[in-house]
Amino acid sequence: MITTLLVANRGEIACRVMRTAKALGLKTVAVHSAIDRAARHVREADLAVDLGGAKPAESYLLVDKLIAAARASGAQAIHPGYGFLSENAGFARAVEDAGLIFLGPPASAIEAMGSKSAAKALMEEAGVPLVPGYHGEAQDLATFRAAAERIGYPVLLKAAAGGGGKGMKVVEREADLAEALASAQREAQAAFGDARMLIEKYLLKPRHVEIQVFADRHGNCLYLNERDCSIQRRHQKVVEEAPAPGLSPELRRAMGEAAVKAAQAIGYVGAGTVEFLLDERGDFYFMEMNTRLQVEHPVTEAITGLDLVAWQIRVARGEPLPITQEQVPLHGHAIEVRLYAEDPDNDFLPATGTLELYREPAPGPGRRVDSGVSEGDLVSPFYDPMLGKLIAWGETREEARQRLLAMLDETLVGGVKTNLAFLRRVLAHPAFASAELDTGFISRHQAVLLPLPGQLPEAFWQAAADAFIQSEASMCRADDPHSPWSARNGWRAGLGAETELHLVCNGSERKVRPSGRNQLQGENLVCPRQEGDTQVQYRLPAIRRGTTLYLEWQGELQAVSRFDPIAAVEASHGHQGGLTAPMSGSIVRVLVEAGQRVEAGTALVVVEAMKMEHSIRAPQAGVVKALFCAEGEQVSEGTTLVELEEA
Ligand code: MV4
């Protein structure tokens, strides 16, 4: 019997799981680290247990504390969410051993899918199509050479213990195989402690199409259509949609039945996803199976009308699946984008800060927002930087796309850099509108999708000055229209009406006089523009938070504040020539030595944070003057790591 559910996770997935649990009448228990004490998932739970610590290893990954929290709170079941311990067989087993219910697959199924090679062997046996290749125990060069000859170049070397694109190497011709294999084995050993490789035919321009499967404890297993997740950046999904554009009912059935076979081969129970590569000829090949509820499950829920978390709870209670395969709905089209706290001008490195401004799109038909944050929350460097997901459903893909663009236009985030503008560019791109989807989408269109940060035009600075000075007036005005503070021409006691403002925005600064041409009305700046013979008025969101004015300009929210000479001096006193850690993390590689000459772009140090590696590169040619870090060290954001002298 489940009456109380503990969610061993945080952020949007914790909020999402608790939403369904409450709808089913369950009591919900949140767990949190010390720094998440005031987080949204804690506020929305019936009970909360403080795990202490900050980093996941000090909090959300502590199995004993999680089980103790379940016992203390009277929870009979634990939902792992995704990430963290969701695919940790040891945790699943510990939960079951403690007499609690793990809302996930059996530990044996998690283990079976843990190794790429073992998973492929199981799938081969089950008759699930695999990419032509070799995934055996023999790891000598001759074995790989023979396999490559058999399957034909180009081939792809993959680390058996790898995942998410880590430990992959394309080999174009036989002459490169020996060195590539040796290098890949070294990297796999260093990254995963396991040098075992597999080799496959390299598929050109494949699509990532995954099948949602669901199995109960009575031997029933369904596929709930598919999702196309081909638009990824560095193996991180950016856009997901369902159904996969252009997939025929025959291909859907073939892939769905193969996915069900894969799930049944490992005695699967609960929600799972079987990932396939789909090539241009319509052939599909097993890639891997994820034994958890995926981030992107909402698009499947949107086109089927099902609640997959409710199904997880019912199956955990021992109930049979409520429908048959023929009754699985497929209605309309849904598209999801992931809103990340990332800095697009800094290689999309995770961003931190305080959400001084956070506005979600208004609710409405075909709209869904799964978020784990609220305005005022701190975005810390300790966890995955995803803030939430925007999901739009439509009768057609175009309707879903337009609806999602409108939702993106309504979304405002200030105080923390995000990938919002990038998401808008992807959704608005003609190639996306015409569903030209494959895993090379972003690299193919990166000139448009990932433009270099541009210079802000004079019109922006003029609008910013007007909005800034007027927002100060409205902040100071005592609601007295006769107060001099009400003057909209920038008048200040003791200062002329034409006071010049010294503003900064996104690393640029400008001295600019307010013109009064642009008028602040509430939280919008009304900007008159002459277009031909027509006077047009634009309304730009202009929202003040403390000393910062957030002004939307060409779809991006710009943070404008007064130039602060003290801050400017402090910033310049960073180590001259010093290259600093872009965010807190651990030093996984130091690739240079003091005295070494390096070219512009040479990777110097690799920092690992939020499950991703970030290379600190030489901004220009030079000589390494000094190293201030060593492999294995923890560093915080802003720590100087390397000092370079210009060549
Ligand atoms: C491939 C491939 C092409 N050929 N395997 C990337 C991560 C892992 N899930 C498997 N991946 C790939 N395996 C063969 N034989 C291309 C990729 C790939 C990819 C796959 C899915 C989604 C995005 C991708 C981005 C780059 C490469």
Side-chain angles (χ1 to χ4, degrees), residues 116 131-132 155-156 158 163-166 168 200-209 229-232 234-235 237 275-277 287-288 438-440:
K116 275 185 158 352
V131 181
V155 295
L156 185 64
K158 287 184 178 179
K166 277 191 171 179
M168 292 197 335
E200 295 178 345
K201 178 74 185 160
Y202 182 55
L203 302 179
L204 301 171
K205 291 180 69 175
R207 287 169 68 179
H208 171 125
V209 177
C229 309
S230 300
I231 299 189
Q232 302 190 13
R234 294 189 185 166
H235 302 293
K237 293 168 183 171
E275 294 185 351
F276 293 99
L277 288 173
M287 205 169 15
E288 54 197 63
D438 65 75
T439 55

